[in-house]
Amino acid sequence: MNIKRISTMILSLAMLSVGLFFVQPVSAQENFDADIAAEYSEGDVNSEVMAISSPEELNYEDVTPKFLGAELYEQDSLLNLLIRFAFNVLVSWIIVQFFYYRKSPRRDYYVTFMLFSAVMFLLIFMMENVSMTMGIMLGLFAIFGVIRYRTETVPIREMTYLFVIIGTSVINGLSLNMTYTNLLVANAMLLLLMALLENRSLLKHQTTKLVLYDKIEMIVPEKREELIADLQQRLGITKIDKVEIGHVDFLRDVAFVKVYYHLAKGETNTINQVTKMNQYNG
């Protein structure tokens, strides 16, 4: 299944959530009008029976199907779950599709982020005791610890987006007492902030490249301009902002040089610091 099909499925799920939002059923509690009940209770016929002041006095019979003492179906709760789940998936998809995947087209991380979002939301939503905030925080740190201390580490950009996805899912899962408007505004603020930070016209990104340089006679400070000109020509970089000289191997006449420059519009580079094949995890 390619990314376009995944995006189509997520958009369909979002449209379904919007439809469910507008067809939420109205309960007997919302239909009850105490003034109308009091008006009818003033009559002579069965006035004692009709004198109702609250819907609880109607004593509706509980017809919810149950199995082994547990309810099988509760319409309001189910609709709330479906709407919030679809909304959370939609927000996560916008973050991954338009902010992360546009610059780092990694399908493995795409799937990972979306699954993390869905699982974390359901985990938080299904917890009845919301007061276990400290336990949730410790659990998140445990997740980050497992990810960080593996043999193959996660790049900083992917780690940041993973934290954003998990945090967004926790916010959407814990906001049971929050109105849909407040929930929408909170997520919109997050998306707006990410759009501003990812906008290169507002925040220019300086990248680096680690080069094993062979002309060791050029690393002296007196020839710094010649060194930069040679690196620009050999690397195909229009302008190098600055260079730093690292480890020098006089036996092989090579030195590590760190090059600072700005990427052209639309370009990305995720392997600048890779110097050996075993460091590449793409």
Side-chain angles (χ1 to χ4, degrees), residues 46-183:
N46 297 329
S47 59
E48 295 181 358
V49 177
M50 297 300 297
I52 303 171
S53 58
S54 65
E56 288 77 8
E57 297 181 15
L58 293 174
N59 192 20
Y60 284 107
E61 181 180 358
D62 188 6
V63 294
T64 304
K66 294 184 178 181
F67 178 74
L68 297 179
E71 294 184 357
L72 292 177
Y73 175 76
E74 207 284 311
Q75 190 171 11
D76 292 339
S77 178
L78 179 61
L79 284 176
N80 190 28
L81 170 62
L82 293 176
I83 292 173
R84 290 181 180 271
F85 177 78
F87 177 76
N88 179 73
V89 172
L90 176 62
V91 174
S92 300
W93 174 75
I94 292 175
I95 294 174
V96 176
Q97 177 70 25
F98 295 100
F99 297 116
Y100 171 77
Y101 193 74
R102 185 178 60 178
K103 296 183 178 179
S104 302
R106 294 282 303 272
R107 185 181 183 278
D108 50 351
Y109 282 113
Y110 193 109
V111 177
T112 300
F113 292 156
M114 295 306 300
L115 290 179
F116 254 97
S117 172
V119 173
M120 184 60 63
F121 172 82
L122 293 176
L123 177 64
I124 299 300
F125 190 89
M126 294 301 180
M127 291 179 61
E128 297 181 359
N129 188 7
V130 186
S131 62
M132 298 174 59
T133 308
M134 185 59 65
I136 296 174
M137 295 176 61
L138 293 177
L140 292 179
F141 281 113
I143 293 174
F144 290 131
V146 171
I147 297 172
R148 177 62 183 89
Y149 294 107
R150 299 181 308 163
T151 303
E152 180 181 334
T153 57
V154 178
I156 185 64
R157 176 178 171 83
E158 280 69 17
M159 178 67 74
T160 302
Y161 271 92
L162 180 60
F163 176 78
V164 171
I165 290 296
I166 294 178
T168 303
S169 302
V170 171
I171 292 173
N172 294 332
L174 287 178
S175 57
L176 299 180
N177 297 325
M178 184 183 299
T179 63
Y180 286 104
T181 302
N182 292 342
L183 186 63

Side-chain angles (χ1 to χ4, degrees), residues 181-247:
T181 302
N182 292 342
L183 186 63
L184 181 63
V185 171
N187 285 268
M189 292 170 60
L190 175 62
L191 295 177
L192 178 60
L193 178 61
M194 295 185 65
L196 293 176
L197 294 177
E198 289 286 356
N199 191 350
R200 290 191 175 184
S201 60
L202 298 179
L203 185 64
K204 294 184 178 181
H205 173 65
Q206 186 182 59
T207 187
T208 60
K209 186 182 293 295
L210 194 60
V211 179
L212 187 60
Y213 194 62
D214 55 346
K215 297 181 179 181
I216 197 172
E217 68 277 0
M218 302 281 287
I219 66 174
V220 293
E222 294 79 10
K223 297 185 177 181
R224 188 56 50 87
E225 294 184 0
E226 298 180 22
L227 171 63
I228 293 177
D230 183 60
L231 287 172
Q232 289 180 166
Q233 180 181 3
R234 298 173 70 178
L235 295 175
I237 299 176
T238 305
K239 180 181 179 181
I240 294 178
D241 298 327
K242 68 174 183 177
V243 295
E244 293 180 357
I245 308 300
H247 174 72

